[in-house]
Amino acid sequence: AQSVTQLGSHVSVSEGALVLLRCNYSSSVPPYLFWYVQYPNQGLQLLLKYTTGATLVKGINGFEAEFKKSETSFHLTKPSAHMSDAAEYFCAVIPHNGGFKTIFGAGTRLFVKA
Amino acid sequence: DTGVSQNPRHKITKRGQNVTFRCDPISEHNRLYWYRQTLGQGPEFLTYFQNEAQLEKSRLLSDRFSAERPKGSFSTLEIQRTEQGDSAMYLCASSPGNQNEKLFFGSGTQLSVL
């Protein structure tokens, strides 16, 4: 069965530092790939998604992610962290042959230090 | 676009009682999903509808759980004979209908079973 692994349940960075949140998926056929963000007391919202085409995908708030088929990865990055980036981030997939069900990883909570 | 609406926001109940949650999706969306989220975990798929048809139900979902979407608009999720292990955030999401479409989430219903 398709699964999503997020390395690190908590990541802490200083304001202005690089943000790197890791995501790996398990399937021989690359699925559709997503990153969602959940701010405190808010619903999940989409940051970015990869379906086809260019493997470097840009999202909202300066985030981007790169699909690497050889590594079955879809890591999320942002060059310079801002205090407002503190939130929980979820990597998610929709398998091509799995209907319309989105499968989520366990999430990574990002802390940003002043 | 008024977004996905869930009611109630919070529900406290005693073990053994039945509870029902409501979700109003974005009006033109024909897919509606229910997820459950516990602390420190990503959303766990429960079930989804395309219009009024329930197309998939998680094997993890016991027969105490039932969901309906009678007219292809709002949906209800009922839990009978609640148990303390049912305590979680119940999330509803909707999407327009293409397989690679993002999910639009509501703010969730927080269930506490005492």
Side-chain angles (χ1 to χ4, degrees), chain B residues 57-102:
Chain B
K57 188 174 174 180
S58 169
R59 292 180 198 141
L60 300 175
L61 211 58
S62 80
D63 55 9
R64 297 183 297 105
F65 287 72
S66 62
E68 294 183 339
R69 195 183 182 196
K71 298 182 180 178
S73 57
F74 73 92
S75 175
T76 57
L77 176 69
E78 181 183 17
I79 309 173
Q80 296 182 325
R81 304 180 304 281
T82 53
E83 302 172 357
Q84 287 186 327
D86 297 331
S87 295
M89 176 73 83
Y90 289 84
L91 301 172
C92 177
S94 67
S95 73
N98 293 327
Q99 188 184 25
N100 61 8
E101 287 285 350
K102 70 178 184 181

Side-chain angles (χ1 to χ4, degrees), chain A residues 14-106:
Chain A
S14 297
E15 194 172 21
L18 171 72
V19 176
L20 171 61
L21 304 182
R22 299 177 187 273
C23 173
N24 289 86
Y25 63 89
S26 67
S27 71
S28 55
V29 177
Y32 299 118
L33 295 155
F34 304 79
W35 276 97
Y36 286 83
V37 61
Q38 188 172 31
Y39 297 104
N41 300 315
Q42 293 187 29
L44 282 85
Q45 56 184 280
L46 183 75
L47 265 182
L48 48 81
K49 70 176 184 180
Y50 170 78
T51 54
T52 60
T55 56
L56 182 63
V57 180
K58 294 188 185 300
I60 61 172
N61 301 336
F63 283 92
E64 60 184 35
E66 186 171 13
F67 165 58
K68 292 187 176 180
K69 184 177 178 181
S70 61
E71 298 178 6
T72 62
S73 69
F74 190 57
H75 300 333
L76 181 71
T77 59
K78 182 174 179 178
S80 177
H82 191 272
M83 297 296 287
S84 61
D85 295 326
E88 186 134 28
Y89 293 81
F90 295 95
C91 183
V93 302
I94 299 178
H96 280 266
N97 60 353
F100 294 82
K101 180 173 64 182
T102 301
I103 301 166
F104 287 85

